[in-house]
Amino acid sequence: MSVYERLEALRISLPQAEPPVAAFVPVVRAGNLLFVSGHIAKKDGKPWAGKLGENLVTAQGKEAARGIAIELLATLHAALGDLNKITRIVKLLVLVNSVPTFTEQHLVANGASELLVEIFGDKGAHARSAFGVAQIPLGACVEIELVAEVG
C-alpha cells in the first residue's frame, strides 16, 4: 500500500505546506537525508498555545504532536513531490512547552511517532528525543523537527 493510500485510509488529507515565518528554509537536503525545520502545533489554523502541566494535559499534547506530523508530511510532499520516495523516517526531535514538574514529554511525542509508523510501517520507526522546554515560538505547546532518508 502506498503512503497516499494509507493516508486516505486514515482519512488524512495533507494541508498546503506553509512558508517559514522567520529566516530559515523548510527543508535542507544533504545527500540522501532531508532535514525538516521545526513545525509548531496549530489549532484552527493558529498556533496552539499552552503549556503542558499548566493549562494542557498529555492527551492534548499528543493530539498536537499528531497534527504536527501531518504538517511535516505536507512539507516533505512539497519538497519531494512524492512521499513514496521516503525510504526511512530517521529521527524526530520533539520539544514540549511544559512546566518543570511535567514528565510525560515522551507520551506527547508518541502522537507523532505512532502516526508515522501507521503511515510508513517499519520505515516509519525512528530514533527520537523529547524534551521539556520553558517556551516555544508563539507560545506553541509542541514543536517537532524531522530527519528523513530518501532513495
Side-chain angles (χ1 to χ4, degrees):
M1 182 180 285
S2 81
V3 170
Y4 297 99
E5 290 168 336
R6 286 191 180 118
L7 287 167
E8 187 175 328
L10 293 168
R11 300 182 189 266
I12 296 172
S13 57
L14 297 178
Q16 288 288 94
E18 295 185 19
V21 296
F24 63 90
V25 295
V27 179
V28 170
R29 184 171 182 159
N32 287 344
L33 295 178
L34 293 174
F35 294 82
V36 184
S37 294
H39 285 49
I40 62 169
K42 293 184 181 159
K43 190 169 194 167
D44 301 323
K46 298 175 186 164
W48 188 345
K51 192 172 282 286
L52 277 289
E54 182 176 281
N55 55 6
L56 294 174
V57 298
T58 302
Q60 290 171 301
K62 187 174 180 179
E63 179 187 345
R66 185 181 190 279
I68 294 170
I70 293 167
E71 299 241 350
L72 288 163
L73 292 177
T75 297
L76 283 167
H77 173 77
L80 291 170
D82 184 0
L83 292 175
N84 291 301
K85 293 178 181 177
I86 295 172
T87 57
R88 179 94 194 182
I89 301 298
V90 177
K91 173 123 195 236
L92 293 184
L93 173 63
V94 182
L95 305 173
V96 181
N97 185 353
S98 53
V99 298
T101 56
F102 184 80
T103 60
E104 295 186 342
Q105 290 84 359
H106 62 294
L107 299 177
V108 168
N110 282 348
S113 295
E114 291 167 358
L115 180 64
L116 292 170
V117 170
E118 276 188 88
I119 293 169
F120 290 98
D122 290 341
K123 296 186 296 185
H126 51 272
R128 184 182 83 192
S129 299
F131 297 97
V133 297
Q135 194 53 265
I136 291 175
L138 305 175
C141 58
V142 181
E143 179 173 356
I144 302 175
E145 64 179 47
L146 177 147
V147 179
E149 182 183 46
V150 294

